């Protein structure tokens, strides 16, 4: 992997990337959706609370209107008051009129209990003229008689007509709207000179109801009619034109009870509720941002706390990662140095226990590799020395080989077959010694070298011994170290059979046992004392300098272990004056595996 990729996938970047993907982004998303869900839940609960409040307000307003209607009906149906007012029209004497006026005022005050809400009562006479209680008429009488509410009162004689809109019937000096309750008395027959009674109601009590229920989280409260007249308002934030523009009496608004609309380019919650027999509409408008300001503030605090926590975690992560990444980078640098062959490099690691242990393990590993490299070099040198020592035999090979070739030709000319065969056997042995290109041969080739050697030994010792073979066919194509068996046979002849008077027998067996190639060489010679067996296998001084190729039992053992490892080698069993059995254990090396 190149440097670019290595930087791209560095621990630090991957750590912070995973931190952002796994922690930061999910937490922010969860917080956002939780905040939105909580806002929706809050708005729903708030809406239920507002609608319940508006329902209570509607009941209170309706009660207040009913109370005023009841008082108006009591006055309009009071025959004494109507009679006194009728008499006022017919009388011209000032003293008498004053007395009648006092009686009328006293009667009306007793009925309305001196209520401040009924600001004036105006009696309109049949045929023209009027009498007022408290405050005089502001508008022209003829104009008033043409109003729709006046005609409606006449059409519904004996009934109180509830107000639908506002009027300015009298001079009050106040900014409050005036509500008119009207009634056409249906009593006294012809004696009744009163055509319509008008009760001017100042909605102070309704203002009180709004003031009681309004707070900073109730927004702006309005009471409007179908003509978008504002009857009562908790503040002056909205005008009749604003109400008319948004048409709050619209059917869609009314059916949904509360809606999200834009008021003055601000998202607002609008709540509606009917009152006064659906002639008036209660409206509550609150800025959505104001409504959810506390939640937004909590969310802001949460985000700030979260940012602080993330910053603290990043600071912690920087120091934590530095404590890990810096030693790892140092370790990588040393690894690259070792990769180039600098096995003397060591790393000094500081930091957490795990990093220190990793550095120490790396140092131990490099030391072991260096040690193994040195041991390998030593083994290779020893192996080379052993091969050279085994194969060159400290003579000039070409000179001997050419001389023997000449002797063989002379024996053939003289027809001396014994000399010819002897020379052939010796030349084959020398050929095996001088071939240095491969130290492994097949079992068949090894047996040929052994037969050539035994032929020479039989001629020399005049049939002192015989050799019996028991070689499994399955091993003949396997490979083994060249001239492994010959030194062992030579040792059996020189040190075993030559020192007894009986006919010598050498048995050579070859077979596979488990995962090993086994050769057994057994003779009936003089045998070996037990205390000398260890020295023969392990002591180099046991090498016979007079042997054919200077390879003793110890060197055979060394060659096997150098080539194949400590699992393989030679074992000796012997009983003095009876027998000696040498077992050679080798690996199974098939065709194509000799390298």
């Amino acid at each position: 992997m190149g440097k670019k990729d290595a930087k791209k996938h560095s621990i630090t970047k991957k750590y912070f990337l995973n931190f952002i993907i796994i922690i930061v982004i999910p937490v922010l998303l969860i917080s956002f959706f939780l905040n939105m869900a909580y806002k929706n839940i809050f708005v729903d609960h708030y809406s239920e609370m507002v609608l319940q409040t508006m329902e209570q307000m509607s009941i209170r307003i309706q009660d207040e209107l009913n109370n005023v209607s009841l008082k108006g009906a009591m006055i309009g149906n009071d025959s004494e008051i109507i009679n006194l007012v009728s008499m006022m029209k017919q009388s011209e004497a000032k003293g008498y009129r004053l007395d009648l006026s006092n009686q009328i005022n006293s009667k009306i005050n007793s009925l309305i209990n001196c209520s401040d809400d009924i600001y004036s009562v105006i009696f309109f006479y049949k045929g023209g003229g009027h009498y007022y209680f408290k405050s005089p008429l502001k508008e022209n009488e003829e104009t008033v008689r043409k109003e729709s509410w006046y005609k409606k009162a006449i059409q519904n004689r004996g009934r109180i007509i509830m107000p639908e809109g506002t009027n300015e019937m009298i001079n009050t000096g106040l900014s409050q709207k005036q509500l008119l309750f009207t009634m056409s008395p249906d009593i006294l027959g012809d004696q009744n000179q009163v055509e319509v009674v008008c009760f001017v109601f100042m909605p102070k009590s309704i203002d009180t109801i709004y003031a009681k229920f309004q707070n900073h989280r109730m927004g702006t409260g309005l009471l409007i009619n179908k003509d978008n007249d504002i009857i009562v308002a908790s503040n002056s934030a909205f005008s009749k034109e604003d109400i008319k523009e948004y048409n709050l009496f619209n059917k869609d608004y009314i059916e949904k009870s509360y809606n999200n609309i834009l008021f003055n380019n601000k998202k607002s919650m609008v709540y509606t509720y009917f009152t006064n027999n659906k002639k008036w509409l209660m409206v509550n408008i609150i800025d959505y941002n104001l409504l959810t300001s506390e939640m937004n503030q909590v969310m802001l605090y949460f985000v700030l706390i979260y940012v602080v926590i993330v910053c603290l975690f990043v600071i912690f992560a920087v120091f934590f990662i530095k404590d890990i990444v810096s030693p790892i980078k140092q370790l990588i640098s040393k690894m690259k140095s070792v990769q180039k062959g600098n096995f003397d490099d060591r790393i000094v690691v500081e930091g957490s226990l795990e990093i220190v242990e990793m550095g120490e393990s790396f140092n131990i590993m490099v030391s072991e590799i260096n040690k193994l490299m040195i041991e390998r070099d030593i083994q290779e040198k020893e192996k080379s020395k052993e091969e050279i020592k085994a194969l060159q035999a400290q003579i000039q090979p070409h000179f001997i080989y050419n001389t023997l070739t000449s002797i063989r030709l002379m024996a053939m000319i003289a027809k001396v077959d014994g000399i010819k065969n002897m020379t052939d056997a010796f030349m084959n042995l020398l050929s095996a010694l001088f071939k240095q290109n491969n130290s492994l041969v097949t079992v068949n080739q090894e047996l040929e070298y052994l037969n050539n050697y035994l032929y020479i030994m039989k001629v020399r010792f005049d049939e002192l011994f015989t050799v019996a073979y028991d070689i499994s066919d399955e091993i003949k194509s396997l490979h083994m170290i060249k001239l492994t068996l010959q030194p062992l046979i030579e040792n059996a002849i020189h040190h075993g059979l030559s020192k007894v008077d009986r006919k010598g027998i050498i048995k050579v067996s070859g077979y596979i046992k488990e995962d090993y190639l086994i050769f057994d060489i057994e003779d009936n010679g003089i045998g070996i004392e037990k205390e000398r067996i260890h020295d023969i296998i392990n002591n180099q001084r046991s090498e016979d300098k007079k042997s054919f190729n200077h390879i003793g039992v110890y060197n055979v053992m060394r060659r096997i272990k150098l080539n194949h490892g400590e699992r393989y080698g030679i074992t000796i069993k012997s009983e003095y004056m009876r027998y000696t059995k040498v077992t050679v254990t080798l690996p199974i090396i098939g065709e194509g595996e000799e390298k």
Side-chain angles (χ1 to χ4, degrees):
M1 185 178 289
K3 291 183 178 179
K4 187 176 180 180
D5 292 335
K7 288 182 180 179
K8 183 178 178 181
H9 298 91
S10 65
I11 293 176
T12 305
K13 288 187 177 180
K14 186 176 289 186
Y15 183 85
F16 281 109
L17 184 62
N18 289 335
F19 173 72
I20 292 172
I21 294 174
I22 297 174
I23 297 178
V24 175
I25 294 177
V27 170
L28 289 177
L29 289 175
I30 290 171
S31 302
F32 174 76
F33 286 116
L34 283 177
N35 182 58
M36 294 299 295
Y38 181 69
K39 277 186 179 180
N40 293 333
I41 293 172
F42 173 79
V43 169
D44 288 341
H45 284 295
Y46 172 81
S47 301
E48 290 179 7
M49 182 268 292
V50 170
L51 292 173
Q52 289 175 1
T53 302
M54 294 178 74
E55 182 181 5
Q56 295 175 23
M57 291 172 65
S58 175
I59 294 172
R60 294 286 300 275
I61 291 172
Q62 192 67 53
D63 289 343
E64 191 64 30
L65 294 176
N66 291 336
N67 184 43
V68 174
S69 296
L70 178 61
K71 292 177 180 179
M74 290 172 64
I75 294 172
N77 290 317
D78 191 305
S79 59
E80 186 176 354
I81 293 175
I82 297 300
N83 185 47
L84 289 171
V85 173
S86 298
M87 292 172 65
M88 281 287 292
K89 181 183 180 183
Q90 298 171 355
S91 176
E92 296 182 358
K94 292 184 179 179
Y96 183 62
R97 286 176 65 84
L98 180 61
D99 182 55
L100 289 174
S101 178
N102 289 334
Q103 291 183 53
I104 294 170
N105 292 345
S106 176
K107 291 289 291 182
I108 293 175
N109 280 326
S110 66
L111 290 176
I112 64 176
N113 295 321
C114 299
S115 173
D116 292 336
D117 289 339
I118 298 179
Y119 212 78
S120 179
V121 180
I122 302 173
F123 298 86
F124 291 92
Y125 293 122
K126 297 176 181 178
H130 67 276
Y131 171 81
Y132 65 88
F133 167 76
K134 281 190 178 181
S135 298
L137 184 65
K138 175 184 177 182
E139 295 186 19
N140 180 273
E141 182 181 325
E142 293 299 325
T143 302
V144 172
R145 290 177 179 272
K146 294 178 181 180
E147 293 286 347
S148 60
W149 56 264
Y150 190 92
K151 295 177 180 179
K152 189 175 182 180
I154 295 174
Q155 292 171 359
N156 294 275
R157 294 177 61 85
R159 291 176 54 193
I160 283 288
I161 304 301
M162 291 286 221
E164 294 184 6
T166 60
N167 299 82
E168 293 187 13
M169 291 283 292
I170 59 176
N171 284 315
T172 62
L174 302 175
S175 61
Q176 281 185 312
K177 303 292 185 179
Q178 300 172 20
L179 301 176
L180 303 182
F181 290 78
T182 58
M183 179 180 180
S184 180
D186 189 18
I187 57 175
L188 298 178
D190 294 336
Q191 294 181 6
N192 178 17
Q193 296 297 315
V194 178
E195 187 175 45
V196 172
V197 181
C198 180
F199 306 93
V200 180
F201 175 67
M202 303 293 288
K204 294 179 181 179
S205 57
I206 298 178
D207 286 343
T208 303
I209 293 171
Y210 264 83
K212 182 178 180 180
F213 286 95
Q214 291 297 129
N215 55 56
H216 73 286
R217 297 190 64 175
M218 283 292 290
T220 299
L222 301 172
L223 184 62
I224 63 174
N225 63 10
K226 292 182 179 180
D227 296 327
N228 296 311
D229 292 326
I230 299 176
I231 299 170
V232 175
S234 61
N235 57 55
S236 59
F238 298 96
S239 64
K240 179 178 180 178
E241 288 71 23
D242 295 329
I243 303 302
K244 189 175 182 180
E245 178 183 353
Y246 294 105
N247 192 18
L248 294 179
F249 248 100
N250 183 287
K251 182 180 179 182
D252 293 336
Y253 289 154
I254 295 171
E255 287 184 351
K256 293 182 180 177
S257 297
Y258 65 92
N259 309 267
N260 289 329
I261 63 174
L262 288 176
F263 261 102
N264 298 327
N265 296 321
K266 291 182 180 179
K267 182 180 179 182
S268 302
M269 299 294 297
V270 178
Y271 303 88
T272 57
Y273 200 91
F274 275 121
T275 188
N276 190 17
N277 299 318
K278 293 190 176 183
K279 295 177 182 179
W280 293 347
L281 183 67
M282 298 174 61
V283 181
N284 187 273
I285 304 170
I286 184 170
D287 187 342
Y288 183 82
N289 292 328
L290 179 63
L291 178 64
T292 58
S293 59
E294 292 182 5
M295 286 180 290
N296 292 334
Q297 193 172 11
V298 171
M299 184 63 183
L300 179 61
Y301 288 147
F302 174 79
V303 171
L304 289 176
I305 293 171
Y306 183 68
V307 169
V308 171
I309 293 173
V310 169
C311 291
L312 292 175
F313 182 82
V314 168
I315 294 171
F316 162 76
V318 167
F319 286 101
F320 178 76
I321 293 175
K322 184 179 179 182
D323 193 36
I324 294 176
V325 173
S326 295
I328 289 177
K329 287 183 177 179
Q330 185 182 0
L331 184 62
I332 291 172
S333 176
K334 293 297 181 181
M335 285 180 176
K336 290 180 179 179
S337 178
V338 171
Q339 187 179 1
K340 294 177 181 178
N342 300 322
F343 291 100
D344 294 327
D345 274 352
R346 297 294 183 271
I347 185 172
V348 179
V349 181
E350 296 179 353
S352 60
L353 177 63
E354 292 80 3
I355 297 296
V356 171
E357 287 181 352
M358 185 168 64
E360 291 176 352
S361 298
F362 172 77
N363 290 337
I364 293 172
M365 179 189 71
V366 173
S367 297
E368 290 296 322
I369 291 174
N370 193 29
K371 182 179 177 182
L372 289 173
M373 293 287 289
I374 293 172
E375 289 180 357
R376 185 199 67 179
D377 292 341
I378 293 173
Q379 288 180 355
E380 288 295 330
K381 289 177 182 179
E382 290 182 358
K383 181 179 176 181
S384 298
K385 289 179 181 179
E386 294 297 332
E387 292 294 335
I388 293 171
K389 184 178 179 181
L391 300 177
Q392 290 186 346
Q394 299 178 353
I395 60 176
Q396 294 293 334
H398 294 291
F399 175 75
I400 295 174
Y401 194 82
N402 291 334
T403 302
L404 288 173
T405 301
S406 299
I407 295 171
R408 178 176 177 277
L409 289 173
M410 292 174 65
M412 289 176 63
I413 293 170
K415 296 184 179 180
V416 182
D417 292 336
I419 297 174
K420 173 184 172 295
N421 293 337
M422 184 78 165
T423 304
D424 284 341
F426 189 49
M427 288 175 65
N428 289 334
L429 278 177
L430 289 178
S431 176
L433 284 172
F434 299 153
K435 288 181 181 178
Q436 300 179 24
N437 59 334
N438 196 347
S439 62
L440 294 181
V441 296
T442 63
V443 173
N444 255 342
Q445 290 174 318
E446 179 71 8
L447 293 175
E448 288 179 9
Y449 299 148
L450 184 59
N451 286 330
N452 288 324
Y453 173 74
L454 289 172
Y455 179 82
I456 296 172
M457 290 297 102
K458 285 181 180 180
V459 173
R460 177 182 173 186
F461 288 99
D462 193 18
E463 302 296 333
L464 175 67
F465 60 89
T466 60
V467 179
Y469 290 100
D470 183 14
I471 305 299
S472 174
D473 290 336
E474 64 178 337
I475 72 169
K476 291 181 179 181
S477 61
L478 300 180
H479 287 74
M480 61 184 294
I481 300 173
K482 181 169 57 180
L483 296 178
T484 298
L485 302 179
Q486 182 272 326
L488 303 178
I489 296 293
E490 184 176 8
N491 193 68
I493 295 171
H494 283 284
H495 299 289
L497 300 179
S498 64
K499 296 180 179 181
V500 295
D501 295 333
R502 59 181 176 269
K503 179 76 171 182
I505 300 173
I506 299 175
K507 297 179 181 179
V508 181
S509 303
Y511 53 91
I512 291 176
K513 184 178 181 181
E514 296 178 353
D515 292 329
Y516 299 98
L517 173 60
I518 306 296
F519 287 97
D520 292 329
I521 301 171
E522 185 176 354
D523 67 80
N524 61 346
I526 193 172
I528 307 171
E529 296 89 345
K530 289 183 179 180
E531 56 271 14
R532 290 194 64 244
I533 292 176
H534 182 271
D535 293 337
I536 291 172
I537 293 177
N538 296 285
N539 193 345
Q540 285 182 317
R541 291 178 297 176
S542 67
E543 182 183 331
D544 187 357
K545 300 293 183 180
K546 297 180 181 180
S547 67
F548 166 73
N549 55 17
H550 291 187
I551 302 177
V553 175
Y554 170 75
N555 283 335
V556 173
M557 171 74 82
R558 288 282 296 162
R559 291 175 66 208
I560 293 173
K561 290 189 177 296
L562 283 171
N563 280 278
H564 304 308
E566 294 297 323
R567 296 172 56 192
Y568 308 98
I570 294 174
T571 58
I572 299 176
K573 293 182 181 180
S574 181
E575 187 176 339
Y576 187 65
M577 296 303 296
R578 292 191 62 189
Y579 76 95
T580 299
K581 183 177 181 181
V582 179
T583 299
V584 181
T585 304
L586 298 172
I588 298 174
I589 303 175
E591 187 69 29
E593 300 176 8
E594 60 269 22
K595 291 185 180 182

